Short mmCIF file of all heavy atoms in Angstrom, two decimals:
data_model
loop_
_atom_site.label_atom_id
_atom_site.label_comp_id
_atom_site.label_asym_id
_atom_site.label_seq_id
_atom_site.Cartn_x
_atom_site.Cartn_y
_atom_site.Cartn_z
N GLY A 41 0.82 -1.26 0.01
CA GLY A 41 0.02 -0.01 -0.10
C GLY A 41 0.87 1.21 0.02
O GLY A 41 0.56 2.22 -0.68
N ALA A 42 1.91 1.31 0.80
CA ALA A 42 2.83 2.36 0.79
C ALA A 42 3.51 2.70 -0.54
O ALA A 42 3.64 3.76 -1.05
CB ALA A 42 3.86 2.21 1.90
N ILE A 43 3.94 1.59 -1.15
CA ILE A 43 4.51 1.71 -2.52
C ILE A 43 3.46 2.27 -3.50
O ILE A 43 3.76 3.06 -4.47
CB ILE A 43 5.15 0.41 -2.94
CG1 ILE A 43 6.20 0.00 -2.15
CG2 ILE A 43 5.71 0.43 -4.46
CD1 ILE A 43 7.38 0.84 -1.90
N GLN A 44 2.29 1.78 -3.45
CA GLN A 44 1.19 2.22 -4.23
C GLN A 44 0.97 3.72 -4.03
O GLN A 44 0.84 4.48 -5.13
CB GLN A 44 -0.12 1.45 -3.98
CG GLN A 44 -1.34 1.88 -4.94
CD GLN A 44 -1.14 1.47 -6.32
OE1 GLN A 44 -0.97 0.36 -6.60
NE2 GLN A 44 -1.13 2.60 -7.13
N ALA A 45 1.04 4.26 -2.89
CA ALA A 45 1.00 5.68 -2.65
C ALA A 45 2.17 6.47 -3.38
O ALA A 45 2.05 7.49 -3.91
CB ALA A 45 0.95 6.01 -1.16
N LEU A 46 3.31 5.83 -3.25
CA LEU A 46 4.57 6.41 -3.91
C LEU A 46 4.34 6.49 -5.39
O LEU A 46 4.58 7.42 -6.05
CB LEU A 46 5.78 5.64 -3.57
CG LEU A 46 6.43 5.82 -2.22
CD1 LEU A 46 7.65 4.86 -2.09
CD2 LEU A 46 6.87 7.29 -2.11
N ALA A 47 3.82 5.39 -5.93
CA ALA A 47 3.66 5.34 -7.38
C ALA A 47 2.56 6.35 -7.92
O ALA A 47 2.64 6.92 -8.91
CB ALA A 47 3.24 3.97 -7.79
N ALA A 48 1.48 6.50 -7.07
CA ALA A 48 0.49 7.53 -7.41
C ALA A 48 1.00 8.90 -7.35
O ALA A 48 0.59 9.85 -8.09
CB ALA A 48 -0.69 7.38 -6.45
N ARG A 49 1.87 9.23 -6.49
CA ARG A 49 2.45 10.64 -6.39
C ARG A 49 3.69 10.81 -7.45
O ARG A 49 4.17 12.04 -7.56
CB ARG A 49 3.03 10.90 -4.94
CG ARG A 49 1.87 10.86 -3.91
CD ARG A 49 2.37 11.56 -2.64
NE ARG A 49 3.57 10.88 -2.19
CZ ARG A 49 3.66 9.92 -1.23
NH1 ARG A 49 2.47 9.53 -0.75
NH2 ARG A 49 4.71 9.52 -0.79
N CYS A 50 4.18 9.89 -7.98
CA CYS A 50 5.26 9.96 -8.83
C CYS A 50 4.82 10.80 -10.15
O CYS A 50 3.82 10.67 -10.73
CB CYS A 50 5.79 8.57 -9.41
SG CYS A 50 7.25 8.66 -10.50
N PRO A 51 5.70 11.88 -10.45
CA PRO A 51 5.27 12.66 -11.66
C PRO A 51 5.33 11.94 -13.06
O PRO A 51 4.52 12.26 -13.89
CB PRO A 51 6.40 13.77 -11.66
CG PRO A 51 6.98 13.76 -10.37
CD PRO A 51 6.82 12.36 -9.81
N VAL A 52 6.14 10.92 -13.12
CA VAL A 52 6.17 10.01 -14.26
C VAL A 52 4.97 8.91 -14.08
O VAL A 52 5.01 8.26 -12.89
CB VAL A 52 7.54 9.34 -14.51
CG1 VAL A 52 7.51 8.40 -15.66
CG2 VAL A 52 8.55 10.39 -14.73
N PRO A 53 4.14 8.57 -15.07
CA PRO A 53 3.20 7.61 -14.81
C PRO A 53 3.84 6.24 -14.44
O PRO A 53 4.72 5.71 -15.10
CB PRO A 53 2.45 7.47 -16.29
CG PRO A 53 2.71 8.85 -16.83
CD PRO A 53 4.06 9.34 -16.28
N CYS A 54 3.34 5.71 -13.34
CA CYS A 54 4.06 4.45 -12.72
C CYS A 54 2.99 3.46 -12.46
O CYS A 54 1.97 3.80 -11.74
CB CYS A 54 4.76 4.86 -11.32
SG CYS A 54 5.72 3.48 -10.68
N MET A 55 3.39 2.22 -12.78
CA MET A 55 2.38 1.04 -12.56
C MET A 55 3.10 0.22 -11.57
O MET A 55 4.31 -0.07 -11.53
CB MET A 55 2.18 0.29 -13.82
CG MET A 55 1.34 1.05 -14.81
SD MET A 55 1.03 0.01 -16.32
CE MET A 55 0.10 -1.32 -15.60
N LEU A 56 2.28 -0.34 -10.64
CA LEU A 56 2.77 -1.28 -9.59
C LEU A 56 2.19 -2.64 -9.74
O LEU A 56 1.00 -2.92 -10.04
CB LEU A 56 2.38 -0.71 -8.18
CG LEU A 56 2.55 -1.69 -7.00
CD1 LEU A 56 4.16 -1.97 -6.88
CD2 LEU A 56 1.98 -1.15 -5.72
N GLN A 57 3.13 -3.65 -9.71
CA GLN A 57 2.69 -5.07 -9.81
C GLN A 57 3.18 -5.71 -8.47
O GLN A 57 4.45 -5.67 -8.29
CB GLN A 57 3.30 -5.77 -10.93
CG GLN A 57 2.86 -7.23 -10.95
CD GLN A 57 3.51 -7.96 -12.28
OE1 GLN A 57 4.19 -7.39 -13.04
NE2 GLN A 57 3.29 -9.27 -12.29
N ALA A 58 2.29 -6.20 -7.69
CA ALA A 58 2.75 -6.67 -6.37
C ALA A 58 1.94 -7.99 -5.93
O ALA A 58 0.74 -8.02 -6.20
CB ALA A 58 2.52 -5.66 -5.16
N ASP A 59 2.65 -8.91 -5.47
CA ASP A 59 2.03 -10.18 -4.79
C ASP A 59 1.34 -9.59 -3.47
O ASP A 59 1.61 -8.48 -3.05
CB ASP A 59 2.99 -11.20 -4.50
CG ASP A 59 3.61 -11.69 -5.82
OD1 ASP A 59 3.08 -11.56 -6.94
OD2 ASP A 59 4.82 -12.27 -5.73
N HIS A 60 0.55 -10.47 -2.96
CA HIS A 60 0.01 -10.17 -1.66
C HIS A 60 1.07 -10.54 -0.56
O HIS A 60 1.38 -11.66 -0.24
CB HIS A 60 -1.21 -11.02 -1.28
CG HIS A 60 -1.73 -10.77 0.06
ND1 HIS A 60 -2.34 -9.59 0.39
CD2 HIS A 60 -1.84 -11.60 1.12
CE1 HIS A 60 -2.76 -9.67 1.64
NE2 HIS A 60 -2.51 -10.81 2.17
N LEU A 61 1.77 -9.45 -0.09
CA LEU A 61 3.07 -9.52 0.70
C LEU A 61 2.70 -9.95 2.13
O LEU A 61 3.48 -10.65 2.77
CB LEU A 61 3.84 -8.29 0.55
CG LEU A 61 4.28 -7.91 -0.80
CD1 LEU A 61 5.13 -6.53 -0.70
CD2 LEU A 61 5.09 -9.00 -1.45
N GLY A 62 1.60 -9.42 2.64
CA GLY A 62 1.37 -9.51 4.04
C GLY A 62 2.35 -8.55 4.87
O GLY A 62 3.08 -7.67 4.18
N ARG A 63 2.51 -8.69 6.14
CA ARG A 63 3.34 -7.90 6.87
C ARG A 63 4.83 -8.53 7.00
O ARG A 63 5.01 -9.79 7.19
CB ARG A 63 2.84 -7.66 8.27
CG ARG A 63 1.58 -6.93 8.43
CD ARG A 63 1.49 -5.72 7.47
NE ARG A 63 2.54 -4.73 7.74
CZ ARG A 63 2.39 -3.55 8.25
NH1 ARG A 63 1.21 -3.23 8.61
NH2 ARG A 63 3.37 -2.75 8.20
N LEU A 64 5.81 -7.76 6.69
CA LEU A 64 7.21 -8.15 6.69
C LEU A 64 7.87 -7.39 7.89
O LEU A 64 7.35 -6.56 8.41
CB LEU A 64 7.89 -7.74 5.38
CG LEU A 64 7.26 -8.34 4.03
CD1 LEU A 64 7.94 -7.80 2.94
CD2 LEU A 64 7.37 -9.81 4.14
N PRO A 65 9.21 -7.85 8.15
CA PRO A 65 9.83 -7.14 9.25
C PRO A 65 9.88 -5.52 8.91
O PRO A 65 10.16 -5.31 7.83
CB PRO A 65 11.29 -7.78 9.22
CG PRO A 65 10.91 -9.24 8.74
CD PRO A 65 9.84 -9.03 7.76
N ALA A 66 9.81 -4.88 10.01
CA ALA A 66 9.71 -3.38 9.89
C ALA A 66 11.01 -2.80 9.16
O ALA A 66 10.92 -2.00 8.20
CB ALA A 66 9.59 -2.68 11.24
N ALA A 67 12.12 -3.36 9.49
CA ALA A 67 13.47 -2.81 8.79
C ALA A 67 13.35 -3.20 7.36
O ALA A 67 13.82 -2.38 6.54
CB ALA A 67 14.63 -3.51 9.52
N VAL A 68 13.00 -4.30 6.98
CA VAL A 68 12.93 -4.74 5.63
C VAL A 68 11.87 -3.90 4.82
O VAL A 68 12.17 -3.33 3.76
CB VAL A 68 12.39 -6.22 5.44
CG1 VAL A 68 12.21 -6.53 4.04
CG2 VAL A 68 13.49 -7.08 6.02
N GLU A 69 10.66 -3.60 5.34
CA GLU A 69 9.65 -2.70 4.75
C GLU A 69 10.24 -1.31 4.57
O GLU A 69 10.02 -0.72 3.45
CB GLU A 69 8.42 -2.64 5.67
CG GLU A 69 7.68 -3.96 5.54
CD GLU A 69 6.23 -3.71 6.19
OE1 GLU A 69 6.14 -2.91 7.11
OE2 GLU A 69 5.41 -4.60 5.99
N ALA A 70 10.96 -0.79 5.67
CA ALA A 70 11.51 0.51 5.46
C ALA A 70 12.59 0.56 4.41
O ALA A 70 12.59 1.65 3.66
CB ALA A 70 12.07 0.98 6.91
N ALA A 71 13.50 -0.44 4.39
CA ALA A 71 14.65 -0.34 3.36
C ALA A 71 13.92 -0.40 2.01
O ALA A 71 14.30 0.25 1.12
CB ALA A 71 15.44 -1.54 3.62
N ALA A 72 13.08 -1.28 1.76
CA ALA A 72 12.35 -1.43 0.52
C ALA A 72 11.57 -0.02 0.10
O ALA A 72 11.60 0.36 -1.08
CB ALA A 72 11.41 -2.65 0.42
#
């Protein structure tokens, strides 16, 4: 969801393809 928000705000048209990730470790999510 956070990456989807980034893609929506990007000035260049951006498409997101994502599996259902579920919750990952906080440090991993932040780094990604």
Side-chain angles (χ1 to χ4, degrees):
I43 299 298
Q44 180 64 59
L46 281 177
R49 294 198 303 268
C50 182
V52 176
C54 181
M55 293 182 62
L56 172 65
Q57 179 183 357
D59 300 335
H60 180 66
L61 301 178
R63 297 317 304 253
L64 302 176
V68 173
E69 290 188 340

